[in-house]
Amino acid sequence: MPKKTLVVTRRLPQAVESRISRDYAARFNAEDRLYSSNELVDISAGADALLITQQDVMDAQFLSHLPSSVRVIATLSVGFDHIDLAAAAARGIEV
């Protein structure tokens, strides 16, 4: 079975990135800079999931442009107020 594709929006500790690489076809942000909305939409093409941080705003407008292949958004943050949960649910995206 092919690995699921995971977009990771920021750099993580090497041990974590190694584990992600083992379990997923990962698309890492090698430059460790905040992606623009357009860049994140483009890099998400064909991806199954996103691993984001609190700096990545997932509002209704952004989510409406996200490729339909994305079914999961995971966040590395204290809260999830940067994600529009209702808009994600309407798109069938688990958060």
Side-chain angles (χ1 to χ4, degrees):
M1 172 184 255
K3 292 180 180 180
K4 299 288 186 180
T5 300
L6 175 65
V7 173
V8 182
T9 63
R10 298 306 296 259
R11 294 302 308 256
L12 300 171
Q14 183 57 46
V16 175
E17 288 186 355
S18 293
R19 174 80 184 260
I20 289 171
S21 293
R22 184 191 77 189
D23 296 339
Y24 300 93
R27 296 180 189 163
F28 292 109
N29 181 348
E31 296 175 10
D32 196 30
R33 64 177 178 77
L34 187 62
Y35 287 129
S36 71
S37 294
N38 289 338
E39 288 174 315
L40 188 49
V41 166
D42 289 346
I43 199 168
S44 298
D48 299 289
L50 306 178
L51 175 54
I52 65 169
T53 68
Q54 65 192 22
Q55 296 169 322
D56 300 299
V57 177
M58 304 278 133
D59 59 18
Q61 181 178 355
F62 173 80
L63 291 169
S64 71
H65 296 292
L66 202 59
S68 62
S69 62
V70 176
R71 308 308 300 158
V72 174
I73 297 173
T75 184
L76 179 64
S77 59
V78 173
F80 49 86
D81 57 335
H82 56 289
I83 305 170
D84 186 326
L85 298 178
R91 294 274 322 265
I93 299 172
E94 295 289 331
V95 177

